[in-house]
């Protein structure tokens, strides 16, 4: 058998492959040293078995602690991800008697845990490929399986694929995963430092299965953690005959699979602006809202702490309940107490159509004592989605509906964002809610004597950036956390 030297002068077994289909998946053996091990090439019509010594194949490089690459003989089993941007193939040119790079696409296929090289017609005798593996990063993993979108977004419009749908107009076709610069509040550019990646519209690749529940990814936070919203109990949904329908975008969830089974008022009282707070001061005492004290904290204790899953949860990022106050809806003057008040989220998403991801006031960024930012007042790192995030996701703050984007579920559910306190009847402090009928935002009283202001709860948590994902993020193959 013939060996060749590649770059580092270390001997790497190279196997030239003649392939017969447009896209070929190489199911790689875990060790190139296992010479008698049988591996496979999956092709469109079947699977061909071969013994490793029969052919030439590839060289593998692995990122070290210095950010450089070392030649290895074992394919990384965990903790690393293929760098598709710098991996390449080359072919020997008999005319120049040199190896020349060839135009191929090299992709990691998470569904089969293999590498796809296409077109296969470029791979012939004398071809060799170089695969570079970077240290695993949850952001890299998601971006490897997702194409970023760069459309200009008009946040006054809703987002969905088609021009119209039953129940409302689809404002524009801005659907996918977008990068956003949280410093400039604009789309990312090459020099952006603080970046978040958010899902918008009727996306179908942001499903996660974790802690026995389904989730939908809202965004990748600036620190690489994953913010996600509750989407139902795995044990219940997976046993339904219409499982895929229930999980799909646009499903009218009359059975309330996608919210917790408790409908609740946001707070215990309603007649003061303080009651829009996730937590709030009352006579010098820091109080918890009803939704936090009665629903979210007990849920976290039972489903995260008792299952010993706290190590998977990011404790740094917080949950913004912006209470910046104004006495008119144009956002000019300020007000508190029992006078008419409009809060920051109202001005951004209703008046200006300019949502943000940053939290304007540190006092309104709810974090635990383990975080280096925010008010450090939460006992557990759990919260709700913000009105700004709902608009980023494709909803409208007007009465124009969107029943196709991924946050619509046919149920009213609370956000964390204060809206306004009106002098009109009913005179109550209000928080934004995602509407059951249209999927748009509306403002609801945090409580009221007639008890009519009960809405659903969809917990939001941040998955640690050190978590390992597998899967494709689809209904058929959701991201699995390990």
């Amino acid at each position: 058998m013939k060996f060749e030297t590649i770059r580092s002068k270390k001997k790497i077994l190279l196997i030239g492959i003649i392939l017969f289909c447009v896209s070929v998946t190489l199911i790689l053996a875990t060790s190139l040293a296992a010479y008698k091990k049988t591996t496979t090439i999956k092709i469109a019509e079947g699977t061909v078995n071969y013994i490793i010594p029969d052919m030439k194949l590839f060289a593998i490089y692995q990122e070290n602690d210095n950010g450089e690459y070392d030649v290895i003989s074992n394919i990384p089993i965990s903790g690393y991800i293929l760098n598709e941007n710098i991996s390449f193939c080359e072919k020997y040119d008999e005319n120049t008697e040199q190896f020349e790079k060839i135009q191929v696409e090299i992709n990691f296929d998470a569904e089969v845990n293999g590498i796809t090289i296409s077109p296969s017609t470029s791979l012939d005798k004398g071809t060799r490929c170089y695969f570079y593996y970077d240290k695993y990063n949850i952001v890299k993993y998601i971006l490897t399986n997702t194409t970023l979108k760069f459309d200009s977004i008009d946040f006054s419009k809703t987002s969905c694929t088609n021009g119209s749908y039953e129940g409302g107009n689809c404002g524009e076709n801005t659907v996918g995963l977008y990068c956003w610069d949280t410093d400039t509040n604009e789309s990312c550019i090459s020099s952006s430092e603080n970046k978040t990646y958010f899902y918008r519209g009727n996306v179908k690749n942001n499903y996660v299965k974790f802690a026995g529940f389904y989730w939908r990814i809202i965004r990748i936070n600036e620190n690489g953690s994953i913010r996600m919203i509750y989407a139902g109990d795995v044990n219940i949904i997976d046993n339904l005959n219409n499982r895929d329908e229930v999980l799909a975008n646009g499903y009218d969830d009359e059975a309330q699979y996608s919210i917790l089974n408790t409908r609740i008022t946001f707070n215990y009282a309603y007649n003061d602006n303080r009651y829009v707070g996730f937590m709030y001061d009352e006579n010098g005492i820091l109080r918890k809202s009803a939704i936090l004290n009665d629903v979210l904290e007990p849920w976290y204790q039972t489903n995260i702490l008792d299952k010993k899953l706290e190590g998977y949860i990011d404790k740094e990022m917080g949950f913004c309940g912006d209470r910046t106050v104004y006495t008119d809806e144009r956002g000019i003057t300020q007000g508190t107490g029992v006078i008419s008040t409009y809060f920051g989220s109202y001005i951004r998403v209703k008046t200006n159509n300019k949502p943000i991801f940053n939290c304007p006031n540190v006092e309104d960024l709810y974090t635990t004592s383990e975080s280096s930012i925010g008010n450090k007042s939460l006992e557990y790192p759990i919260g709700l989605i913000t009105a700004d995030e709902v608009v980023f996701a494709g909803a409208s703050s007007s009465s124009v509906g969107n029943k196709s984007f991924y946050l619509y579920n046919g149920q009213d559910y609370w956000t964390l964002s204060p809206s306004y306190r009106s002098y009109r009847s009913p005179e109550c402090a209000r928080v934004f809610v995602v509407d059951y009928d249209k999927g748009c935002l509306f403002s609801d009283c945090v409580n009221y004597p007639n008890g009519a202001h009960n809405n659903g709860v969809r917990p939001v948590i941040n998955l640690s950036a050190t978590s390992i994902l597998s899967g494709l993020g689809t209904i058929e193959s959701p991201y699995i956390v390990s």
Side-chain angles (χ1 to χ4, degrees), residues 373-480:
I373 58 176
N375 56 28
K376 301 178 174 61
S377 59
L378 287 179
E379 184 173 357
Y380 304 132
I382 187 170
L384 300 171
I385 196 169
T386 68
D388 297 74
E389 288 172 333
V390 174
V391 172
F392 272 112
S396 168
S397 59
S398 67
S399 59
V400 176
N402 187 350
K403 291 186 176 181
S404 70
F405 82 128
Y406 75 92
L407 288 176
Y408 172 80
N409 66 350
Q411 295 291 323
D412 292 330
Y413 58 92
W414 292 106
T415 76
L416 193 57
S417 300
S419 179
Y420 68 92
R421 184 189 184 279
S422 175
Y423 63 88
R424 298 185 293 270
S425 180
E427 295 185 24
C428 59
R430 298 170 185 260
V431 168
F432 277 114
V433 172
V434 179
D435 179 58
Y436 81 98
D437 185 41
K438 295 182 177 180
C440 58
L441 287 167
F442 77 96
S443 304
D444 202 6
C445 295
V446 295
N447 200 324
Y448 209 63
N450 62 15
H453 300 274
N454 294 332
N455 295 300
V457 181
R458 297 184 72 181
V460 172
I461 57 176
N462 294 302
L463 189 66
S464 170
T466 61
S467 301
I468 304 295
L469 297 182
S470 60
L472 302 175
T474 62
I475 289 177
E476 299 77 17
S477 177
Y479 290 126
I480 305 295

Side-chain angles (χ1 to χ4, degrees), residues 289-354:
S289 62
I291 201 168
L292 174 61
N293 187 66
D294 297 344
V295 180
L296 293 175
E297 287 189 343
W299 185 93
Y300 190 92
Q301 175 70 51
T302 299
N303 295 286
I304 302 298
L305 293 185
D306 291 353
K307 294 179 181 179
K308 303 188 184 305
L309 296 173
E310 190 178 15
Y312 292 96
I313 305 300
D314 176 81
K315 317 274 190 323
E316 179 69 7
M317 300 301 293
F319 307 88
C320 185
D322 180 20
R323 290 173 291 189
T324 305
V325 289
Y326 307 89
T327 55
D328 67 272
E329 59 186 294
R330 295 170 297 168
I332 298 176
T333 55
Q334 297 184 341
T336 57
V338 295
I339 65 174
S340 293
T341 302
Y342 294 86
F343 293 94
S345 293
Y346 186 100
I347 304 303
R348 289 192 299 274
V349 304
K350 293 281 286 186
T351 303
N352 298 330
N353 296 307
K354 292 183 178 180

Side-chain angles (χ1 to χ4, degrees), residues 43-57:
I43 61 175
E45 290 74 28
T47 301
V48 176
N49 294 318
Y50 68 92
I51 305 298
I52 286 180
D54 294 343
M55 311 169 87
K56 299 182 200 177
L57 193 68

Side-chain angles (χ1 to χ4, degrees), residues 12-254:
I12 302 298
L13 179 61
L14 301 174
I15 305 174
I17 307 171
I18 300 176
L19 301 173
F20 308 101
C21 60
V22 174
S23 179
V24 179
T25 302
L26 304 178
I27 311 300
L28 305 181
T30 57
S31 174
L32 294 181
Y35 291 130
K36 292 301 181 182
K37 185 166 183 153
T38 299
T39 188
T40 63
I41 302 174
K42 279 194 174 180
I43 61 175
E45 290 74 28
T47 301
V48 176
N49 294 318
Y50 68 92
I51 305 298
I52 286 180
D54 294 343
M55 311 169 87
K56 299 182 200 177
L57 193 68
F58 45 78
I60 305 173
Y61 296 83
Q62 179 175 289
E63 184 181 20
N64 59 31
D65 292 338
N66 298 321
E68 299 174 345
Y69 291 91
D70 298 324
V71 177
I72 59 173
S73 58
N74 294 332
I75 295 167
I77 297 175
S78 63
Y80 290 85
I81 186 169
L82 180 71
N83 187 327
E84 299 173 355
N85 294 321
I86 64 174
S87 297
F88 68 95
C89 294
E90 61 183 13
K91 185 175 181 180
Y92 184 75
D93 188 322
E94 294 182 354
N95 294 324
T96 62
E97 297 184 345
Q98 293 181 350
F99 278 91
E100 305 287 346
K101 279 190 178 182
I102 57 176
Q103 295 296 318
V104 293
E105 289 189 9
I106 301 176
N107 302 108
F108 175 71
D109 189 334
E111 189 168 17
V112 297
N113 195 29
I115 297 173
T116 298
I117 304 174
S118 61
S120 63
T121 51
S122 299
L123 300 178
D124 203 344
K125 186 176 181 180
T127 299
R128 58 191 188 186
C129 297
Y130 301 79
F131 302 138
Y132 289 81
Y133 279 83
D134 293 344
K135 288 191 172 182
Y136 181 89
N137 178 291
I138 198 169
V139 178
K140 287 182 181 178
Y141 183 84
I142 291 177
L143 295 183
T144 295
N145 293 289
T146 310
T147 301
L148 277 179
K149 298 294 290 297
F150 298 94
D151 309 306
S152 177
I153 299 175
D154 181 350
F155 290 110
S156 68
K157 299 178 180 179
T158 58
S159 165
C160 49
T161 301
N162 299 316
S164 63
Y165 65 92
E166 184 179 358
N169 287 323
C170 187
E172 59 181 8
N173 183 5
T174 49
V175 175
L177 181 64
Y178 292 80
C179 184
W180 199 254
D181 188 321
T182 57
D183 290 330
T184 63
N185 202 39
E186 295 177 344
S187 295
C188 294
I189 57 177
S190 58
S191 60
S192 297
E193 294 184 0
N194 292 311
K195 296 184 290 187
T196 185
Y197 299 88
F198 68 95
Y199 287 90
R200 179 170 172 83
N202 55 323
V203 290
K204 301 176 182 179
N205 59 347
N206 65 337
Y207 292 86
V208 176
K209 186 185 286 189
F210 171 68
F213 303 97
Y214 282 110
W215 305 81
R216 301 297 293 269
I217 299 176
I218 301 168
R219 64 184 179 112
I220 303 173
N221 296 315
E222 295 86 332
N223 71 341
S225 60
I226 306 298
R227 190 185 302 269
M228 53 191 192
I229 187 168
Y230 179 91
D233 189 314
V234 168
N235 291 328
I236 296 175
I237 293 177
D238 280 359
N239 287 303
L240 298 173
N241 292 331
N242 62 337
R243 169 194 177 273
D244 291 1
E245 180 186 5
V246 169
L247 289 173
N249 299 324
Y251 180 70
D252 193 349
D253 186 16
E254 294 181 1

